Amino acid sequence: MAKIVIVGAGVVGLGAGLLLCGDGHEVVVLERDAGAPPAGAEEIWGTWQRKGVSQFRLPHFFLARYSGLLDAELPEVMKALVTAGAVRRNPVLDAPEALRGPAREEDGVFGCISGRRCVVEAAVASVADRAPHLEIRRGTAVAGLITGPSAGGDVPHVAGVRLGTGEEITADLVVDMTGRRSPLPGWLAAIGARPPDDELDDCGFVYYGRHFRSADGGIPPALGSLLMHLGTISVLTLPADNGTWSVTLVTSAKDNALRVLHDPVVWEKAVRSLPLVAHWLDGQPIDDRVMAMAGIEDRHRNLMVGGAPVATGVVAVGDAWACSNPTAGRGASIGMLQAALLRDTIAATGLDDPWQFACSFHHATAEMVEPWYRDTLAADRHRLAEIDALIGGGEYRPGDPGWEIGQALANAAFKDPDCLRGFISVAMVLSRASDVTARPGLLDKVTALGAGWRDEPIPAPSRAELLSIVAGD
Ligand SMILES: Cc1cc2nc3c(=O)[nH]c(=O)nc-3n(C[C@H](O)[C@H](O)[C@H](O)COP(=O)(O)OP(=O)(O)OC[C@H]3O[C@@H](n4cnc5c(N)ncnc54)[C@H](O)[C@@H]3O)c2cc1C
């Protein structure tokens, strides 16, 4: 069994800690932010300070892939979420029977459990805090890496971390889970490693979100998908814990005319103009303002450059490995998928040969996790280009059959039970679109029912109407 240091106690970092200690490893999680979660959802929302996670109070939803992983691997976290007031949803079974058809045995796979990000993270932390062989040290900033004898050529081997205080903690493996703004390249440079291969892109979206609470603990009914693309804006309506929910408008960062959405009055007018969404405003706002976030990067980090690891004894997992536009809400699902893979790779390969482990984990991630990231990235790029085209008054016709089929599937989902399940499988990170459309007969249905999607837009104001609404005309 190994001694493993995880740097970062975010929602995935803590989940990874639980998976690894569950396999018998001694795990230490080092977190820069000092504050531990207080008791009670409202205290958590109101007082837990987490400067290290910019999106800490921005809307989140935890998809079926994440929930399924908790059910299978960390049932005690699932229990803690229920106790904390997290909301259960099943986007297939919650749909009208006329749409989904009779319930099917396999429909349980679509079950989600979700809540406000801080409440979910606190529930994971509550289980991590009492897990054997797992120590969480908050208020403990890692400042760099320490090295030991190389496992191959001039490639440095990481043997632990150095804290801001100068204290050194040795480990068989250091797992960078410091999130989107991971400082790993600087730490690697300081030990003489070659730089990792980072692909970086500003994802080009801006988020304008607010949370609400009902008087009676209820949550407004969904009249469409959790995520809807409505011309030049997208909207997320996300049920959360304890009778709370969020509404978020997502625009292109280049769309200057919509920057006024950070004003709560303008934001509310815009949301009210959306027929399938306006009723989500029927609650008490629990943010004192519109929470906005821009400058969100799509970033993928590859620690295997030119066929060799840039360092051994260190890996990047979760957002520290790859993060993309969060509209699709995939971060925690993909992160936990990779965390489980890390545990399984250690079990299969061991850490005695650090070079072999670095190669095995890299290849496993590339094969089993990276495709989810690439799918998300491709969808983001299309969506941004679509918004650009619509702002310019044109139509978006990229000539990409995969994208056209994806749009047709989203449309056909509201007409056929198999298409509905296929669409939701993709949205919930259960299946890739290419696997769904390979199901016998599905592509024919998608084409027959959904190919006319351009002629059946979701009801929403036109671009001109939206601009006039936000301008207060
Ligand atoms: C606007 C927005 C909305 C999102 N919505 C969703 C959603 O609906 N569903 C979903 O699944 N995902 C969503 N995501 C993504 C999700 O938030 C991330 O995938 C998730 O937080 C990743 O968890 P993590 O543990 O890898 O990193 P993080 O949660 O970012 O945690 C990193 C931790 O590392 C700590 N740290 C940093 N540097 C150091 C250091 N030097 N020493 C010690 N500790 C350090 C930080 O303080 C922090 O606690 C969203 C993201 C954004 C930006």
Side-chain angles (χ1 to χ4, degrees):
M1 292 300 110
K3 178 173 177 193
I4 299 174
V5 162
I6 294 178
V7 190
V11 71
V12 180
L14 290 168
L18 282 165
L19 291 175
L20 290 167
C21 78
D23 239 19
H25 302 294
E26 287 293 331
V27 182
V28 181
V29 183
L30 305 171
E31 168 55 48
R32 186 173 50 198
D33 288 349
E42 293 331 305
E43 289 70 22
I44 292 165
W45 173 260
T47 65
W48 192 14
Q49 294 304 317
R50 291 286 278 114
K51 287 201 171 121
V53 183
S54 316
Q55 69 271 29
F56 198 59
R57 285 189 174 73
L58 278 161
H60 274 63
F61 188 81
F62 292 81
L63 302 175
R65 182 60 169 241
Y66 181 81
S67 303
L69 236 138
L70 295 188
D71 269 335
E73 307 260 10
L74 298 171
E76 63 283 20
V77 173
M78 198 50 130
K79 246 178 81 202
L81 281 166
V82 173
T83 308
V87 67
R88 284 184 186 280
R89 282 288 181 271
N90 184 311
V92 169
L93 294 176
D94 296 344
E97 190 165 350
L99 181 58
R100 64 163 161 81
R104 300 179 188 173
E105 210 177 306
E106 64 275 17
D107 286 342
V109 76
F110 300 110
C112 310
I113 185 148
S114 195
R116 285 169 288 177
R117 156 68 192 252
C118 52
V119 175
V120 171
E121 188 172 308
V124 183
S126 71
V127 177
D129 273 337
R130 49 177 201 268
H133 309 293
L134 176 59
E135 184 193 357
I136 303 172
R137 288 176 61 179
R138 295 187 186 271
T140 306
V142 169
L145 304 169
I146 56 174
T147 52
S150 172
D154 56 0
V155 170
H157 177 67
V158 172
V161 295
R162 182 177 307 102
L163 305 185
T165 55
E167 182 190 344
E168 293 186 350
I169 301 177
T170 56
D172 300 309
L173 181 68
V174 172
V175 187
D176 173 23
M177 301 203 66
T178 55
R180 304 185 84 90
R181 286 174 289 170
S182 154
L184 186 60
W187 293 350
L188 288 169
I191 59 166
R194 289 172 300 140
D197 187 1
D198 276 10
E199 281 173 48
L200 195 66
D201 235 352
D202 182 339
C203 83
F205 294 98
V206 190
Y207 287 73
Y208 302 95
R210 295 201 83 174
H211 285 83
F212 294 84
R213 178 197 310 285
S214 65
D216 61 1
I219 291 179
L223 302 180
S225 308
L226 296 173
L227 166 63
M228 289 185 276
H229 299 307
L230 307 172
T232 54
I233 57 171
S234 300
V235 61
L236 286 157
T237 44
L238 306 178
D241 58 282
N242 298 294
T244 65
W245 64 89
S246 62
V247 181
T248 305
L249 299 177
V250 186
T251 69
S252 161
K254 287 195 240 158
D255 197 346
N256 292 334
L258 294 185
R259 291 207 173 160
V260 284
L261 288 172
H262 67 77
D263 176 333
V265 175
V266 178
W267 183 90
E268 185 176 330
K269 273 201 261 173
V271 176
R272 232 173 249 302
S273 74
L274 308 172
L276 300 188
V277 181
H279 66 291
W280 286 87
L281 293 174
D282 296 342
Q284 182 65 31
I286 57 173
D287 308 293
D288 50 9
R289 61 198 166 91
V290 174
M291 314 276 247
M293 188 164 173
I296 304 169
E297 285 169 349
D298 284 330
R299 181 183 49 69
H300 174 265
R301 173 159 299 151
N302 189 353
L303 296 180
M304 183 74 71
V305 177
V310 297
T312 56
V314 64
V315 290
V317 172
D319 274 20
W321 164 69
C323 47
S324 60
N325 158 37
T327 316
R330 293 180 151 206
S333 293
I334 296 179
M336 284 303 288
L337 201 60
Q338 195 193 14
L341 189 65
L342 174 67
R343 179 208 47 199
D344 295 345
T345 310
I346 296 172
T349 314
L351 294 170
D352 290 343
D353 182 342
W355 189 282
Q356 193 199 348
F357 171 74
C359 297
S360 300
F361 185 58
H362 167 79
H363 292 306
T365 296
E367 186 187 341
M368 298 169 74
V369 192
E370 192 172 331
W372 298 101
Y373 170 77
R374 296 284 162 208
D375 287 352
T376 315
L377 203 63
D380 289 352
R381 291 197 171 140
H382 274 301
R383 177 64 185 141
L384 272 179
E386 181 183 43
I387 293 177
D388 278 350
L390 297 175
I391 290 175
E395 223 182 25
Y396 185 57
R397 289 190 181 269
D400 173 352
W403 184 80
E404 288 286 341
I405 291 167
Q407 304 305 302
L409 176 63
N411 179 283
F414 290 91
K415 300 172 182 168
D416 174 79
D418 293 329
C419 295
L420 176 75
R421 285 167 175 81
F423 172 67
I424 292 178
S425 282
V426 176
M428 293 287 135
V429 193
L430 298 171
S431 310
R432 297 183 61 208
S434 48
D435 297 330
V436 164
T437 49
R439 290 178 188 167
L442 201 93
L443 189 54
D444 291 340
K445 276 190 182 181
V446 168
T447 311
L449 298 170
W453 63 271
R454 280 193 175 81
D455 304 323
E456 298 166 13
I458 301 171
S462 67
R463 172 77 182 168
E465 287 163 343
L466 180 65
L467 291 182
S468 148
I469 289 161
V470 300
D473 299 343

